[in-house]
Amino acid sequence: MRLVLASASPRRVDLLAQIGIIADQVDPAHIDETPLKNELPRQLALRLAVGKAQAVYAHHEGSLVVGADTVVGVGRRSLPKAADADEARRYLSLLSGRRHHVYGGLCVVDTKGTLHTRLIDTAVKFKRLSVEEIDDYIASGEWEGKAGAYAIQGRGGAFVEKIIGSYTNVVGLSLYETNNILNGLGYRSVKG
């Protein structure tokens, strides 16, 4: 059974490798990730995961296709990847001293084209950040390409006071949910 990962994220590739899953092919989906009007963060995460998986499955029919998306939500507001340092600074200031949610949308399209979806919700509490801490983090460049402008698996982990839920979801892909879906579909090929 071929496995295709519909993602350009090196973090997702690394996460899967941690549990012995090596995709036969990595084929990033190119879809519009703009939130719809009044779309909640949790809805956005799941819609994008499904969209990515379906777009890639169209080129790999008969394969298992894994699509995922991570959205940081503060209330009804989504914090996607920051466009620049100023936006990253605004995101971190907003997250400072607050609890937020990291929504992981997951969609596996099986060999017959059936969708298997999950929405993973992880609550994360940030400590209160000083201006200096935010400036230093922005200067590190680690925020680039990260939902919510931080990486829990890097220097951003020092900001996390508490986490309730899946750590790997915050990194970019819930290994527990992904492994369960794949096992349920008969995917047991461990490579590497």
Side-chain angles (χ1 to χ4, degrees), residues 12-164:
R12 292 191 181 112
V13 172
D14 292 345
L15 284 167
L16 287 172
Q18 286 178 19
I19 59 171
I21 297 175
I22 308 297
D24 294 292
Q25 187 171 349
V26 175
D27 187 3
H30 302 287
I31 65 170
D32 183 359
E33 298 190 21
T34 306
L36 302 175
K37 185 176 179 175
N38 299 320
E39 187 173 36
L40 297 174
R42 62 187 313 117
Q43 295 166 328
L44 176 63
L46 194 54
R47 179 177 63 82
L48 293 179
V50 169
K52 290 175 182 181
Q54 288 178 317
V56 171
Y57 184 77
H59 304 290
H60 299 280
E61 288 188 21
S63 298
L64 288 176
V65 176
V66 177
D69 199 81
T70 305
V71 175
V72 173
V74 180
R76 299 177 60 85
R77 182 175 174 189
S78 297
L79 302 184
K81 297 171 187 167
D84 55 36
D86 288 337
E87 188 170 49
R89 188 173 281 104
R90 285 193 299 276
Y91 285 2
L92 293 171
S93 296
L94 181 64
L95 296 173
S96 177
R98 296 180 69 172
R99 182 173 131 161
H100 62 277
H101 291 265
V102 178
Y103 298 104
L106 173 63
C107 179
V108 178
V109 184
D110 68 23
T111 56
K112 296 176 184 170
T114 303
L115 305 182
H116 304 267
T117 62
R118 300 288 186 278
L119 178 69
I120 302 92
D121 178 356
T122 305
V124 180
K125 169 81 165 53
F126 261 29
K127 72 176 192 161
R128 191 163 305 282
L129 302 175
S130 69
V131 173
E132 293 78 20
E133 286 174 311
I134 292 173
D135 288 345
D136 288 348
Y137 192 70
I138 298 300
S140 77
E142 186 179 80
W143 59 271
E144 295 180 61
K146 311 293 189 305
Y150 76 93
I152 195 171
Q153 72 277 18
R155 293 176 60 167
F159 302 157
V160 177
E161 187 177 303
K162 186 175 187 178
I163 180 172
I164 302 170

Side-chain angles (χ1 to χ4, degrees), residues 151-178:
I152 195 171
Q153 72 277 18
R155 293 176 60 167
F159 302 157
V160 177
E161 187 177 303
K162 186 175 187 178
I163 180 172
I164 302 170
S166 170
Y167 171 82
T168 59
N169 178 53
V170 182
V171 176
L173 183 68
S174 170
L175 292 179
Y176 173 79
E177 295 290 349
T178 304

